[in-house]
Amino acid sequence: MNPVLVLGGGPAGLSAAGELASLGAPTILVEREGYLGGNPKRWHYSLLAPDLRPTEEVMDPLLGKIEGNSRIELRLSTTLAKAEPVEKGYRVTLRSAGALEERDVSSVIVATGFDHFDSRRKFEYGYGRYPDVLDFKEIEIMLHEDRVLRPSDGKPPKRMAWILCVGSRDVQVGNPWCCRMGCVVSIKQAVEVRRKHPEIDAYVYYMDIRTYGLWEDLYWKSMQEYGVKFVRGRIGQITLAEGGSRLMATGEDTILSRPTEVPFDMIILASGMEPSAGTKEVATLFGLSVGPEGFLTPRISDLNPVDSGVPGLFFAGAATGPKAIPDAITEGMGAALRAFQYARD
Amino acid sequence: MPIVEPSLVEVQRTERLDLEGIDVSGDWNTFLRSRVAVDLDVKILDWVKGHPQGDTISRCWQCGTCTAGCCMHTDYGLQEFNPRYFIYLAQIGYEEELRRYADTVWRCVSCNKCVERCPKGVKVEEVVHTIGSYLIASGLAPESPADRFDRAYTENLLRHGILDEADLFRTYERLEGRKTPARQILRMGLTLLRSGRLHTGPFAHRARRWAQMRSVLRAQLARDARCPAPTGAADRTVAAEGGGVR
């Protein structure tokens, strides 16, 4: 059997490669970066919502299945340069450090994931200009290392705000979709802050709270046990206040029907999910149809979310839309099974 | 807690009441007027949606980004001017509350920050103006002298293709129901005529082939006016559309 090619070393790709190896299939795992673990590793996610479980407890077992596995050929700092369908599977060209290598693979799993929204594009929030405006990319490592300090002066903040839906549900930046995890992750971060530093006040500016399913529990707990405050309204702009030492969030409290201008020491933007650069490249290489949002579209997403509709090509994880880590892992398993069946038959 | 909003209080005053030798005269039955919204009218939303400038209203999800950046609301401090709230009232059809803002709704200065920022692509500035138009068209807002002047002006332009000041004056006088003494008109007219600021009469400059242009404009105005008529005010719709020309 020719090996199965897994593109992407995030939760979905790791899960797929691990399952394929345990099914006995030879696997090539290709990762663009020089390390495995995808976005959770790249941005040093702290605890995972909703159970506040350290990210390592999820990622380490996934990584443990890969490292030192004789059935998995690990190709870090490698990208896909070319792919052409052959009678069964694909002939692919892998590029690493400028060198090209041609390989025959029996099937391909696309697990190229998402990129966090670049918050600089939402210029009215001043991300990139004001050092104390952060987004998910920076706050998680702060929480991870337990040093929640203002980047501007290194002092602990007294009052923090989270702004939901930055780069999500917003036609002005061309991202009309919901990122699904911004609400619960923001609430989780606020809980993490309040748990360790109850002296810091935490406010969440929201339009809708979408802690769907069992995640609702954390939303309730955040108010009842951790005293996180929720203000309904979207912040219109962030400016400097008090001689530049604090941030001013201007918005409308739509429940009060009143303008609010509240100074904060730190503001966290809940940066959404976009199809990753890799996802876009893969779509071009395989000539795949993408939806209006730029994510890959499964043939019938209700019936089989991992089935691309193209023989020998399968999807897993956030390449087909915003997804939480457990969903990505589940899809990795599903894609592994389908790829294995296809390669075997 | 004292009730400070007098418009919400209904007082029944008893001037002299003596119960078994004890004077109990004073304010009795002090009730709060009901503030329960009991009448919602879906027609408002239909009307605004059917208007060429108001069709983006149904995209609004009430996040308040428009109000947050609104220069009237925040910078100028006119708290009653709240585009998010106006849209909400129009969406749910709470006419009774909306009519309280018949004047305020026109305070928009069209800076268009809201349109730039709206995450749902609502053309807030246009929608708010349309809501104002609804209030006028349905007779909920008294037409102001400025509105009547606008009407006279449009009528004048359509008739002549170029402003005819004497005719404009006549029309406006009629709409206002006002009669300026003839001597005063004559004096004003002569002064203007001498300074070259009055164009009227058979020798005044006229737009060429205006009749043709007029028919095009009238057809367009009629098309613009073809949105659902507000309750019991069908005859006033055209006026609100900037037409009102017969």
Side-chain angles (χ1 to χ4, degrees):
Chain A
M1 185 199 276
N2 279 337
V4 178
L5 176 68
V6 178
L7 296 172
L14 291 175
S15 154
E19 293 303 319
L20 281 165
S22 59
L23 285 166
T27 304
I28 308 174
L29 178 57
V30 168
E31 167 58 46
R32 170 193 292 266
E33 305 290 340
Y35 52 87
L36 288 176
N39 277 312
K41 275 279 171 202
R42 183 174 181 194
W43 304 110
H44 305 272
Y45 288 179
S46 178
L47 304 183
L48 293 181
D51 297 336
L52 308 182
R53 179 177 287 120
T55 307
E56 291 78 20
E57 283 185 23
V58 174
M59 295 307 291
D60 288 351
L62 283 177
L63 292 164
K65 260 185 149 177
I66 308 295
E67 279 152 12
N69 195 319
S70 60
R71 290 207 184 89
I72 300 174
E73 182 186 338
L74 190 55
R75 301 291 301 268
L76 297 174
S77 309
T78 304
T79 54
L80 185 68
K82 225 169 95 183
E84 40 187 312
V86 291
E87 196 190 338
K88 173 97 180 171
Y90 288 88
R91 175 160 297 155
V92 296
T93 310
L94 302 176
R95 181 194 287 127
S96 64
L100 297 174
E101 186 193 344
E102 226 171 57
R103 296 292 291 270
D104 281 321
V105 296
S106 55
S107 58
V108 179
I109 295 175
V110 180
T112 43
F114 74 95
D115 282 342
H116 277 294
F117 174 75
D118 180 358
S119 305
R120 282 174 302 188
R121 280 168 60 201
K122 204 71 198 149
F123 57 88
E124 54 264 44
Y125 292 156
Y127 178 85
R129 281 203 307 278
Y130 309 140
D132 296 334
V133 177
L134 308 177
D135 72 7
F136 280 0
K137 298 195 283 288
E138 292 106 351
I139 185 67
E140 283 290 334
I141 190 165
M142 281 191 173
L143 294 167
H144 195 259
E145 296 174 358
D146 191 20
R147 45 165 189 87
V148 181
L149 302 170
R150 283 155 50 94
S152 60
D153 55 10
K155 286 185 190 145
K158 288 190 197 72
R159 192 191 282 154
M160 290 174 72
W162 276 259
I163 301 180
L164 301 190
C165 305
V166 177
S168 307
R169 310 172 75 207
D170 186 346
V171 296
Q172 299 290 0
V173 296
N175 295 358
W177 60 86
C178 164
C179 79
R180 301 225 281 194
M181 52 81 205
C183 292
V184 77
V185 170
S186 299
I187 291 169
K188 184 269 311 181
Q189 290 168 352
V191 165
E192 241 183 299
V193 167
R194 294 275 301 163
R195 200 162 68 160
K196 282 183 191 148
H197 309 282
E199 71 282 1
I200 301 177
D201 289 333
Y203 287 82
V204 177
Y205 285 88
Y206 71 99
M207 290 177 279
D208 310 280
I209 293 289
R210 296 186 168 177
T211 45
Y212 54 92
L214 304 185
W215 292 0
E216 186 75 4
D217 184 51
L218 185 68
Y219 173 36
W220 291 15
K221 268 192 194 147
S222 75
M223 289 185 269
Q224 291 160 216
E225 288 173 27
Y226 298 100
V228 178
K229 294 162 195 79
F230 289 82
V231 183
R232 194 190 178 282
R234 195 166 173 275
I235 292 299
Q237 61 194 22
I238 295 172
T239 47
L240 291 177
E242 296 172 23
S245 62
R246 294 182 101 185
L247 299 162
M248 180 72 86
T250 308
E252 191 207 357
D253 184 323
T254 59
I255 293 173
L256 287 178
S257 274
R258 258 175 220 195
T260 62
E261 284 183 355
V262 183
F264 286 99
D265 300 301
M266 264 165 96
I267 296 181
I268 315 301
L269 310 178
S271 45
M273 285 173 157
E274 288 185 332
S276 71
T279 299
K280 289 176 196 158
E281 280 169 35
V282 166
T284 318
L285 282 171
F286 288 95
L288 296 170
S289 71
V290 291
E293 293 89 2
F295 290 101
L296 301 173
T297 43
R299 193 169 62 95
I300 306 171
S301 57
D302 302 322
L303 179 65
N304 187 349
V306 304
D307 185 3
S308 72
V310 180
L313 191 65
F314 303 93
F315 299 149
T320 55
K323 229 149 269 169
I325 291 174
D327 299 335
I329 292 173
T330 313
E331 284 195 2
M333 292 172 172
L337 178 66
R338 298 307 287 247
F340 180 75
Q341 286 170 345
Y342 181 83
R344 187 197 56 190
D345 292 342
Chain B
M1 199 185 81
I3 295 158
V4 289
E5 174 54 56
S7 69
L8 298 174
V9 183
E10 212 166 4
V11 181
Q12 194 184 348
R13 180 152 292 171
T14 313
E15 293 296 344
R16 286 185 81 80
L17 189 60
D18 193 78
L19 279 181
E20 298 176 3
I22 303 162
D23 181 16
V24 288
S25 51
D27 291 353
W28 281 79
N29 293 349
T30 303
F31 289 117
L32 272 183
R33 269 183 229 279
S34 171
R35 288 199 284 170
V36 181
V38 288
D39 194 16
L40 301 179
D41 189 353
V42 70
K43 281 191 214 80
I44 304 177
L45 182 61
D46 289 344
W47 193 93
V48 176
K49 242 160 75 175
H51 193 285
Q53 290 197 311
D55 57 344
T56 54
I57 187 175
S58 43
R59 293 187 197 177
C60 177
W61 65 12
Q62 294 292 308
C63 68
T65 306
C66 47
T67 303
C70 176
C71 56
M72 284 314 277
H73 185 77
T74 313
D75 303 338
Y76 188 70
L78 184 70
Q79 203 189 299
E80 307 88 76
F81 187 86
N82 184 335
R84 196 261 320 151
Y85 190 48
F86 298 153
I87 291 177
Y88 180 66
L89 295 176
Q91 276 178 335
I92 63 167
Y94 194 5
E95 198 174 82
E96 190 190 328
E97 173 76 0
L98 192 59
R99 66 194 303 171
R100 289 180 46 203
Y101 299 95
D103 184 44
T104 320
V105 77
W106 291 105
R107 302 289 181 91
C108 169
V109 292
S110 300
C111 73
N112 272 291
K113 219 192 286 176
C114 49
V115 181
E116 274 301 308
R117 288 181 178 175
C118 175
K120 292 276 277 160
V122 179
K123 304 262 180 281
V124 185
E125 183 255 1
E126 294 180 359
V127 168
V128 166
H129 282 140
T130 312
I131 293 170
S133 297
Y134 168 82
L135 289 171
I136 292 176
S138 51
L140 292 173
E143 205 183 20
S144 71
D147 296 328
R148 281 189 288 273
F149 182 77
D150 282 354
R151 210 134 61 84
Y153 196 93
T154 318
E155 203 170 321
N156 190 279
L157 273 182
L158 271 172
R159 200 177 296 147
H160 306 292
I162 193 167
L163 210 55
D164 183 316
E165 283 87 353
D167 189 31
L168 175 64
F169 184 78
R170 266 198 304 278
T171 319
Y172 185 57
E173 287 265 290
R174 178 170 52 77
L175 289 176
E176 282 292 281
R178 206 170 62 178
K179 261 200 155 29
T180 311
R183 263 182 55 208
Q184 202 180 328
I185 297 175
L186 205 62
R187 203 171 55 219
M188 189 162 62
L190 281 173
T191 317
L192 284 171
L193 202 60
R194 247 182 267 130
S195 61
R197 290 205 187 92
L198 185 64
H199 308 88
T200 190
F203 305 111
H205 178 71
R206 289 278 177 255
R208 260 179 294 163
R209 292 163 67 197
W210 179 247
Q212 215 174 331
M213 188 66 196
R214 180 168 44 208
S215 65
V216 173
L217 282 175
R218 282 215 166 121
Q220 183 57 44
L221 283 172
R223 263 198 298 279
D224 285 358
R226 206 181 299 142
C227 41
T231 352
D235 52 329
R236 299 194 59 175
T237 317
V238 180
E241 301 307 321
V245 181
R246 279 150 289 274

